[in-house]
Each structure stands twice: as C-alpha cells, then as structure tokens.
Amino acid sequence: TGRVTFSSLEDIRKCFPRIVGEDSTIYTLVLALASRFNLDKNQWIMGVIIKGQSSAGKSFLAKNVIEPWRILGRVKDLTRFTGAYLERLAQILQTENVDNLIFLVYELFSQTPQQLHIMLSEGKLVLGVVDKNTGEPVEYEIEGRPFLLATTTAVEVREDLENRVITVKIDESEEQTKRLFAFYSRLRTDPEFRYIIEIEEAKGAQALAEHLASLRTMPVIIPYAHLLGEAFRASRDVPISLRRDFQKMLALIEASALLFQHQRPRVRLPVNGAEMEFVVATEEDLKNLLKCLPQLGITLYRL
C-alpha cells in the first residue's frame, strides 16, 4: 500500500520537522490523543493544556501536532471559548455525538466555562431553553466528551479542569531559544533545507493521518499493571491524589499500546460469557510512558 509504518514514538516525532526540541511534549500530546482509541472511555485522557509565556511557541506547537487529526476532519479551531458557544453547539448538533471532536483553544482563560467541565466529566450537556417562536420549553442535548487541546499563559487553571486533563509546559530554557535561533536562521538562508522541511512536514502529517485512520477502537490489557500497583502500595507516602494520577499513568500506557497496535500482541479473553479481543501492552509501552516523564512531572508530580 505504500503506507508508512510507525512502530515507535521516535517514528512519529519525525512527522513534525518544523518543531525544534519539545520531544517529550510531542510524545505526551500524541499519546493523550491516542487514548481515544480505547474502548473503555474511563481510560480516555480528556485533554492537554500547554502552559507558557506569551510568544513562547505554544500555539505553533499545538497547530503542528494536531495537523494529522485536522486532515481527518476532527479539529475545531477556537480563539475564544465560552459557555454560550457550547450551548449553541448543543442546539446545532442536537443528537450528534462529539466524542471525535477536538477543541483547539488558542488562549484558555483561568476561569473556564462550567459547561466544558460538565461535558468532560459527564459526557453530556443538556440545555433547557424557551423556543422564541412558540414560547414552549425545549431541551437540547449534546452527547460525548470532546478532547480539549488548549494553550494558556495563565499560571493557574481551574482545579476541577486541571484534574481532568494533562498539563504540559513549553520549553522556555535558554538552550531551546538558541536551538530555535539556529533553526530559523538556516530556514532563511538555505532554500533547499526549507524545501525539504516543507515536503517532510506535509508527508509526515498525511502519513500519520493514514496511520490513525487504520487503528481500531479496542480494549487493552496491561499484564504488569498489578506490579505497578504493588510498587505504589509499598511506598511510605501515598497521598490521595495518587488515585487519579495512577489512573492517568495506566491510561497513557494503554494509549501507547493502541497507537502501536499493529505491532502489539492480541489475546482473546472471556468477558460476560463471550470472548473479547484485547491489545496487550508490552514493556515498550511502559518505556514510552517514561519518555513522557519530563512533561508529566507537572500533572503526575507525586508519582
């Protein structure tokens, strides 16, 4: 078929040649998005918030990483996000499910709409209005949990939202700034290099979109999950926040197995009187989680 084979996070990283550095950020974003292939919706990552100073490159990073999903028609770009927008969306879509939608919000304010929190936690938004023509009460319902990808300069985001998503931070180090200087200087002085980057960027986005389209929504089993649980139970410091953080960690391991399901073993197990096929997470998926740790320290810092 000529389809590009993706068997590692490093393979996927090559799809974004215009992004300098930020490897662990890209890995985290891609795995969070891939969690949506999990048949168990309780293991979905609800979204990712990219924090950083103004002009640090947050929006550029988000726009580039999300491009394969944009090719698949999954992305809604929003420069301003309000509760009224979600309510109007409920009236437009009515019975449509929004599980497959990605809201890309370019500047998320610290006080996010309550309607968003309801959708992320309940998977449903019910809007009661009065029909302006008949005066009769009408209910509009929007089903599903859209994925939230947002950038913000706000240091603090509402805690109930931050608990539902993964927070990452743009690399604002001096070393990263110097790498960017070198990259953009070369782009402006070497036309052949610029041409190669443009071609590789377009090819990479299309290839990753095709890979994503080839994936099935499946359940996952982690054969070593009990060993991770035993390790945490043996810790002397087990704060209550680890309940949520441990779940997010397992969700990312499962997301890795789903993203690379073509290279993962399968097993059929009895569930409720019938056999169900599972993707089996391997040691490679745990290693992929570890590659994200530089960014996950913000969200899963107690781990």
Side-chain angles (χ1 to χ4, degrees):
T1 62
R3 179 180 294 159
V4 176
T5 300
F6 294 96
S7 57
S8 69
L9 286 176
E10 288 76 14
D11 289 342
I12 289 175
R13 173 66 183 88
K14 294 173 185 175
C15 294
F16 310 105
R18 199 177 291 271
I19 301 177
V20 178
E22 304 288 1
D23 290 0
S24 65
T25 310
I26 294 172
Y27 298 156
T28 303
L29 281 172
V30 170
L31 288 184
L33 286 157
S35 72
R36 295 309 182 96
F37 288 104
N38 203 319
L39 189 64
D40 183 356
K41 293 185 178 183
N42 292 317
Q43 293 299 91
W44 285 7
I45 300 297
M46 294 295 105
V48 174
I49 296 177
I50 305 172
K51 291 185 176 182
Q53 297 181 41
S54 179
S55 301
K58 303 180 301 299
S59 296
F60 178 82
L61 175 68
K63 284 173 65 175
N64 274 269
V65 174
I66 208 66
E67 184 59 26
W69 285 265
R70 190 189 305 282
I71 292 172
L72 297 173
R74 301 269 302 278
V75 180
K76 278 189 173 292
D77 293 270
L78 303 167
T79 53
R80 184 168 176 265
F81 191 81
T82 65
Y85 168 79
L86 275 178
E87 293 182 356
R88 181 59 181 157
L89 190 66
Q91 295 181 53
I92 295 171
L93 297 180
Q94 296 189 25
T95 58
E96 285 188 38
N97 190 289
V98 296
D99 279 343
N100 288 326
L101 280 185
I102 299 167
F103 289 147
L104 175 53
V105 184
Y106 289 106
E107 184 54 47
L108 193 70
F109 298 106
S110 57
Q111 292 303 311
T112 50
Q114 185 63 29
Q115 293 91 331
L116 175 63
H117 302 213
I118 293 171
M119 288 190 72
L120 294 182
S121 61
E122 305 300 328
K124 179 188 294 187
L125 182 64
V126 180
L127 173 64
V129 298
V130 175
D131 188 289
K132 61 182 180 182
N133 295 318
T134 65
E136 295 295 318
V138 179
E139 281 190 2
Y140 296 103
E141 183 175 304
I142 185 169
E143 291 270 358
R145 292 183 173 94
F147 187 95
L148 174 67
L149 175 55
T151 68
T152 184
T153 56
V155 176
E156 298 293 335
V157 177
R158 282 180 56 157
E159 184 179 5
D160 53 348
L161 175 62
E162 200 148 18
N163 286 344
R164 292 177 172 86
V165 302
I166 289 176
T167 301
V168 299
K169 197 171 190 306
I170 205 83
D171 186 349
E172 297 175 345
S173 67
E174 183 178 342
E175 293 76 14
Q176 172 70 355
T177 302
K178 290 178 179 178
R179 285 192 292 267
L180 288 167
F181 286 167
F183 179 78
Y184 288 118
S185 297
R186 186 178 178 188
L187 274 184
R188 307 323 305 171
T189 57
D190 186 342
E192 181 67 18
F193 176 68
R194 184 164 69 245
Y195 173 76
I196 291 171
I197 291 294
E198 290 172 356
I199 294 298
E200 291 302 314
E201 183 178 44
K203 286 171 56 180
Q206 184 62 44
L208 185 50
E210 291 175 6
H211 174 73
L212 295 168
S214 75
L215 300 179
R216 289 172 53 194
T217 298
M218 296 184 67
V220 185
I221 186 168
I222 307 176
Y224 49 84
H226 65 292
L227 299 176
L228 296 173
E230 289 170 8
F232 285 111
R233 286 198 301 272
S235 172
R236 287 178 296 178
D237 179 23
V238 188
I240 195 169
S241 63
L242 279 185
R243 298 179 184 179
R244 180 188 64 246
D245 294 348
F246 187 65
Q247 277 289 95
K248 285 182 180 178
M249 184 188 75
L250 295 178
L252 288 171
I253 293 173
E254 293 185 359
S256 173
L258 289 162
L259 184 60
F260 302 111
Q261 61 183 250
H262 299 315
Q263 290 83 34
R264 297 296 182 264
R266 310 282 179 91
V267 63
R268 300 190 70 85
L269 297 172
V271 178
N272 195 27
E275 276 198 347
M276 182 178 290
E277 186 178 36
F278 289 78
V279 175
V280 181
T282 67
E283 185 181 352
E284 288 303 310
D285 300 307
L286 179 58
K287 289 178 179 178
N288 284 341
L289 171 77
L290 297 178
K291 293 171 186 175
C292 299
L293 283 186
Q295 280 296 355
L296 293 179
I298 301 173
T299 300
L300 310 181
Y301 69 99
R302 294 306 295 265
L303 287 178

